Amino acid sequence: MAGNILFTLGEVQQRLADFEGAVRTFQTLLTIQPTHSDALNFLGYMYAERGIRLDTAEAYLRRALRCDSANGAYLDSYGWVMYMKKDFRAAREYVYRAIEAREEDPVIFEHMALIEEALGDPECAAVAA
């Protein structure tokens, strides 16, 4: 119960642009429930989006994927960290797996377009977009 409340609070804080508050809330949640995979994913993706603490983001996302290796959101988040770390081939591998798992999410296709562009394949980038 407390985990759900903290997760929702962290989501709201992030959406209200209270990055530091969201980080504190998700970290608190992870001290209570270290395997809360949604919190691991959310926190890792938040760092990746800002291009900060990328090794920490990768570690959080690896933990989330250990909980659910087929989760499209987690795969996309991990791929996005790889993109931010400029490991574009690994990024493509994980985001392709995310597309297979959650093809309805347009953010994943946006990520794939950026990855393909970074790899120098504008045709694939145009199709992914």
Side-chain angles (χ1 to χ4, degrees):
M1 180 73 156
N4 292 337
I5 293 169
L6 286 171
F7 183 79
T8 301
L9 175 60
E11 271 187 309
V12 169
Q13 288 169 314
Q14 189 273 335
R15 288 197 172 109
L16 293 174
D18 180 5
F19 178 80
E20 295 303 325
V23 167
R24 280 191 306 276
T25 299
F26 286 126
Q27 288 174 338
T28 298
L29 172 53
L30 291 172
T31 62
I32 298 167
Q33 292 179 322
T35 59
H36 194 292
S37 55
D38 287 333
L40 291 164
N41 177 63
F42 216 105
L43 189 52
Y45 188 76
M46 284 174 47
Y47 285 142
E49 275 291 284
R50 288 186 168 226
I52 62 172
R53 302 189 66 194
L54 295 176
D55 290 337
T56 301
E58 181 180 356
Y60 282 138
L61 292 162
R62 282 185 188 272
R63 287 172 52 196
L65 284 167
R66 276 197 298 271
C67 295
D68 186 356
S69 64
N71 184 300
Y74 303 171
L75 291 164
D76 176 60
S77 295
Y78 190 82
W80 196 240
V81 168
M82 294 296 98
Y83 173 84
M84 297 301 281
K85 292 178 93 172
K86 303 202 182 315
D87 185 348
F88 302 124
R89 295 199 187 286
R92 179 171 32 185
E93 174 191 337
Y94 280 91
V95 174
Y96 268 133
R97 288 174 53 198
I99 287 171
E100 290 174 354
R102 293 178 48 127
E103 62 183 85
E104 79 284 353
D105 189 339
V107 171
I108 296 173
F109 287 100
E110 178 184 342
H111 289 167
M112 183 54 69
L114 292 168
I115 292 164
E116 293 295 351
E117 184 177 26
L119 286 167
D121 194 343
E123 286 182 32
C124 286
V127 170

